[in-house]
Amino acid sequence: MSDIILPGLIDVHTHLRVPGGEHKEDFATGTAAALAGGVTMILGMPNTSPPLSTPEALQNAYAQAQADARCDVGLFAGASPEQIDRLPELASHAVALKIYLNDTFGPLRVEDVPTLRACFQTWPEDKMIAMHAEKQSVAVGIGLAAVYGRPVHFCHISRKEEIELIADAKMRGLPVTCEVTPHHLFMDETDFARLGPLGDMRPVLGTPDDVAALWAHLNDTVDCIATDHAPHTLAEKWSETPPPGVAGLETSLGLMMTAVTQNRLSLDRLIQLMHANPRRIYNLPEQPDTRVEFEMTPTVIRNEAMVSKCGWTPFDGVEAVGRVKRVVLRGEVVVEGGKVICQPGFGQVIPV
Ligand code: DOR
Ligand code: ZN
Ligand code: ZN
């Protein structure tokens, strides 16, 4: 079968671990993993150490990304009650704002109404607000979207009750969008039983019913596939206090293309979910002369093949229908024969 040509994929949910977690991932390795997976633009999350919730931390991360990124990168600013007065200052170096409503990795959390009001009143109107919201917190986010009449994007929606609530909100014309991850589509709680800490992430893997609901809504309610690439070392994952999170940049396209060959979604829909909608929702720049060549050769996903610094994937041993062969970014071949060949600094950081 001939190769399939796709636009450069956009992952709106990646953890790059700079600053403070460079032993897990850094801009050079995380963006190499992205390109190896056919992803030419990523949005980096702010739950670093320190978090990207002060202008200083954000500017430093932005400068480091300019030096080290191999694909294009935008950064999220992180909402924090302690720094809320300085929130507007963060906008010049950020693509969007991230608000964590529920417990997960890192210290960023917003649990009080005054901070939420300040976010919606002072964050620039033309930049997106994204939320880590689970269960009834999704209703909080929908309420804020309605009150302030501005869009909210829900990260990694994983439960039947959540996707159904978002479907209801959309039906009533509220400006909400959402993403789902491949791990919540291709694994469920029985895989957690098998994988132990390697199958632990936030949100946790769902029930088979939850997974069925995500698939059932993939062609209407879901707006994006996003990886929530959250690398941690194997030593950390097997420690007494394993952090939640799994890598995802290198396995996302192969798994989703497998679903295309099983008629679970069309190739056009995949392109909407992994390129067009991410770009529209976050108002991201076009990448001219950029494409991904995907080779339809059955390929077993292997830990040893991972480019991410963490060096493992919960999908080790799973067969995908193909693999990324070549990636062209702004006219330059950046992946050839599956190998990343561009240097750190080739990627652009947005806003430029
Ligand atoms: O599993 C997760 N890991 N979920 C999150 O929300 C954060 C992430 C991380 O940063 O490791
Ligand atoms: Zn999250
Ligand atoms: Zn995340």
Side-chain angles (χ1 to χ4, degrees), residues 190-201 205 237-238 242 246:
T190 61
D191 294 287
F192 173 65
R194 174 177 62 88
L195 291 165
L198 302 190
D200 182 34
M201 72 292 287
L205 293 172
K237 290 297 267 185
W238 288 114
V246 297

Side-chain angles (χ1 to χ4, degrees), residues 208-235:
D209 256 13
D210 289 325
V211 175
L214 297 182
W215 281 106
H217 282 277
L218 198 68
N219 286 310
D220 48 35
T221 314
V222 176
D223 296 282
C224 310
I225 300 294
T227 67
D228 197 3
H229 177 84
H232 298 286
T233 66
L234 279 174

